[in-house]
Amino acid sequence: MPLDMDKKLLYEGVKALVDQEDHKHLQLSQQKLFTLFSISFQYFLFKSTKNPGAYVIRIESSALADKLAKRSKDSSTRRFLQALLLPRKLKYGKSIFFLDFFHMGSWNLTKNIPEDRMKGALIVKDTKDRPMEQVLDDDENNEDLSSLPNNFFLTSLLDTTPETITIFHGDKLESLHSFNFPFIQKEREKALKGVRISEDIQWNEED
């Protein structure tokens, strides 16, 4: 069972995102994946009650989605994501949340959402620099992805979605505004028996 974050900090994190209303496309890059996901997910749950519509959760892989469903930092986020894993579509109040991944074969539910219904998207990218997966299950999905623009998993949503949050501990992504939560401290190296051991290991293992 993961150690949940303090509810006050969770509230402060959601409020901090609400206060970023002048920046509609954010990148969160601090080294606390499960914390960042919980805050961002709870933010979009809150937004969905104020601005009903379609909200997309796009995670790099199903394996990463499963890890987030087990290790996010609050029980509400874990339960919701576990319920969303299958069938990848879930009604919440007057809104609908969709789950897809970084390959176009998983976009069947989301590619036809009317633009006027799209309200927000949460994108979670791993640290590995790799292209979108090419799905070869059938002729419809057997297409050449080499001609797609860089970061199409993101840019395809920026064109249609009024508000996005991208969680990615890496280089700043174009068109996104970087934001850091002040209560998440930067990881430091520590000395142990004369050897400096970095805490900066796999970033999605740190929480």
Side-chain angles (χ1 to χ4, degrees), residues 12-176:
E12 289 180 2
V14 171
K15 185 178 184 301
L17 293 178
V18 171
D19 291 341
Q20 292 295 305
E21 58 183 11
D22 291 338
H23 303 288
K24 296 301 184 182
H25 301 290
L26 298 177
Q27 178 178 346
L28 309 181
S29 58
Q30 290 167 291
Q31 291 181 290
K32 291 291 183 180
L33 173 59
F34 303 117
T35 296
L36 295 179
F37 185 79
S38 284
I39 295 171
S40 302
F41 193 82
Q42 289 299 318
Y43 168 75
F44 277 123
L45 283 185
F46 168 75
K47 290 286 290 189
S48 73
T49 65
K50 305 298 182 182
N51 190 18
Y55 290 82
V56 173
I57 311 299
R58 179 166 292 174
I59 300 173
E60 181 154 355
S61 66
S62 58
L64 182 56
D66 185 65
K67 186 178 291 187
L68 289 165
K70 293 177 180 177
R71 300 183 61 183
S72 291
K73 288 300 185 174
D74 73 289
S75 59
S76 173
T77 296
R78 292 193 297 271
R79 288 195 302 268
F80 197 108
L81 190 54
Q82 287 164 6
L84 188 59
L85 290 175
L86 285 174
R88 296 196 286 116
K89 178 180 178 181
L90 193 62
K91 184 174 173 54
Y92 181 75
K94 296 181 180 180
S95 296
I96 299 178
F97 280 76
F98 297 86
L99 173 67
D100 64 20
F101 307 107
F102 281 23
H103 58 80
M104 296 177 69
S106 70
W107 296 6
N108 292 332
L109 291 175
T110 53
K111 65 183 179 181
N112 295 321
I113 299 174
E115 285 194 30
D116 63 339
R117 288 288 295 162
M118 285 289 291
K119 303 301 180 182
L122 174 56
I123 303 101
V124 186
K125 188 182 188 321
D126 202 350
T127 55
K128 298 176 182 177
D129 184 14
R130 58 188 177 190
M132 287 182 55
E133 297 179 31
Q134 184 165 353
V135 180
L136 303 175
D137 293 339
D138 51 53
D139 291 338
E140 180 182 355
N141 290 325
N142 188 6
E143 51 191 307
D144 183 10
L145 302 184
S146 62
S147 61
L148 293 177
N150 290 336
N151 299 326
F152 189 63
F153 61 86
L154 171 62
T155 58
S156 60
L157 289 171
L158 292 179
D159 292 339
T160 60
T161 311
E163 185 174 7
T164 66
I165 296 175
T166 300
I167 300 175
F168 174 47
H169 177 64
D171 294 335
K172 183 180 182 301
L173 298 174
E174 188 177 354
S175 302
L176 303 185

